[in-house]
């Protein structure tokens, strides 16, 4: 059981390509994959935990033994893609998520950075005003040379057009959920073609890891798992360019405890 003073946990699943257990579950959905990989990593870390390891800490970092850093000599041959799943419109969380994955992989540049917006509440539509600070942060990362291309997930044609018209640095990718959209809308294809935006498909749920799954992961470690929530989840993949082979793939998740006043 973690001390009550612990109020922040980051879990790094390491390279799932090296996980024998997950290889046996090849047909998993993204939600099942992130749940199993984070749960396995966290529970394994708990089993090896010594009480004095965390007695003075408020923030915990759980890193899988499968975690590997990028070999700098191979960097030119690799494409590193990162997708960020935010739980709220919080710029500090966005910056932290990017920095955490860069630190975990020991890289200075992300080739493709995709942002998935927080799940809409009460069927709320896309809100450009809430989006602007997040995109400005992404533009800053690109201007600093920390990423090469920026993209979004799940924007329809009017939403993508609204963002495109406002931005200084334009989105170069838009991901479309293949479960909610079996055929790409013609108007989205036309807009993307006109503005040189690549359309990619994905099958991620808007809520990648539901609260009940998070609470199940945390049950062995905290007294009130229902008090915890996710700040962000990052999925990264590293592909060998010339061969199209995924060399490294994994997740990072940050969860925090709601501080009751």
């Amino acid at each position: 059981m973690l001390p009550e003073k612990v109020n922040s946990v980051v879990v790094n699943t390491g390279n799932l390509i090296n996980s024998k257990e997950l290889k046996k579950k090849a047909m998993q959905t993204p939600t099942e994959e992130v749940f199993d990989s984070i749960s396995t990593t966290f529970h394994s870390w708990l089993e090896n935990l010594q009480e004095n390891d965390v007695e003075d800490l408020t923030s915990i970092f759980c890193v899988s033994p499968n975690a590997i850093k990028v070999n700098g000599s191979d960097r030119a041959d690799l494409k590193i893609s990162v997708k960020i799943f935010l739980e709220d419109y919080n710029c500090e969380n966005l910056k932290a998520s990017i920095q955490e994955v860069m630190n975990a992989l020991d890289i200075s540049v992300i080739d493709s950075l995709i942002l998935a917006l927080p799940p809409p509440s009460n069927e709320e539509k896309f809100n450009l005003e809430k989006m602007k600070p997040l995109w400005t942060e992404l533009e800053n990362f690109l201007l600093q040379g920390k990423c090469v291309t920026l993209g979004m997930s799940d924007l329809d044609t009017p939403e993508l057009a609204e963002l495109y018209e406002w931005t200084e640095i334009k989105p170069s990718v838009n991901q479309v959920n293949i479960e909610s959209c079996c055929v790409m809308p013609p108007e989205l294809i036309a807009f993307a073609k006109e503005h040189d935006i690549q359309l990619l498909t994905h099958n991620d749920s808007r809520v990648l890891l539901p609260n009940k799954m998070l609470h199940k992961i945390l049950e062995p470690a905290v007294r009130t798992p229902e008090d915890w929530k996710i700040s962000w989840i990052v999925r990264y993949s590293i592909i060998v360019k010339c061969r199209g082979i995924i060399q490294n793939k994994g997740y990072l998740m940050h969860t925090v405890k709601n501080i009751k006043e």
Side-chain angles (χ1 to χ4, degrees), residues 5-214:
K5 67 176 70 176
V6 172
N7 56 33
S8 171
V9 175
V10 174
V11 181
N12 176 356
T13 68
N15 187 5
L16 303 185
I17 303 300
N18 292 339
S19 171
K20 295 180 180 179
E21 288 301 316
L22 289 170
K23 281 182 179 179
K24 298 175 184 177
K25 304 175 181 178
M27 301 304 292
Q28 283 188 313
T29 67
T31 293
E32 291 168 340
E33 181 180 72
V34 71
F35 172 78
D36 280 352
S37 58
I38 288 177
S39 179
T40 299
T41 302
F42 184 61
H43 294 164
S44 176
W45 177 85
L46 275 178
E47 288 175 4
N48 295 290
L49 180 65
Q50 301 296 321
E51 188 173 338
N52 58 359
D53 290 342
V54 296
E55 59 184 357
D56 297 324
L57 301 179
T58 58
S59 297
I60 300 295
F61 289 81
C62 311
V63 182
S64 167
N66 288 328
I68 58 175
K69 298 184 181 297
V70 172
N71 188 328
S73 62
D74 296 334
R75 182 62 181 91
D77 299 323
L78 305 174
K79 178 180 179 180
I80 301 176
S81 299
V82 169
K83 184 172 182 179
I84 300 168
F85 301 83
L86 284 183
E87 287 298 309
D88 51 34
Y89 289 83
N90 186 308
C91 289
E92 292 304 313
N93 285 344
L94 175 61
K95 290 190 289 186
S97 66
I98 297 172
Q99 199 57 59
E100 285 290 351
V101 72
M102 294 180 79
N103 290 344
L105 298 175
D106 193 21
I107 57 174
S108 58
V109 180
I110 296 169
D111 295 296
S112 175
L113 184 58
I114 304 290
L115 176 61
L117 291 176
S121 57
N122 301 321
E123 301 302 320
E124 177 189 34
K125 295 296 289 181
F126 175 78
N127 187 321
L128 181 61
E129 291 306 311
K130 292 170 70 174
M131 173 66 204
K132 284 179 179 179
L134 298 178
W135 191 263
T136 299
E137 288 296 342
L138 293 180
E139 289 180 330
N140 289 337
F141 270 94
L142 189 144
L143 292 172
Q144 293 166 16
K146 294 182 178 180
C147 64
V148 179
T149 65
L150 301 175
M152 292 296 302
S153 183
D154 298 316
L155 296 189
D156 62 23
T157 309
E159 294 166 348
L160 184 59
E162 190 178 6
L163 178 65
Y164 187 92
E165 290 302 319
W166 171 78
T167 55
E168 290 289 332
I169 299 174
K170 309 300 182 183
S172 57
V173 173
N174 184 44
Q175 287 190 332
V176 180
N177 192 306
I178 56 175
E179 293 184 353
S180 62
C181 178
C182 297
V183 179
M184 289 276 189
E187 63 274 15
L188 182 59
I189 294 175
F191 182 86
K193 184 176 182 181
E194 179 182 356
H195 298 284
D196 195 26
I197 298 173
Q198 185 180 15
L199 295 179
L200 301 176
T201 59
H202 74 91
N203 64 337
D204 299 316
S205 299
R206 286 302 295 268
V207 180
L208 187 61
L209 188 67
N211 282 330
K212 63 180 181 180
M213 288 187 166
L214 170 68

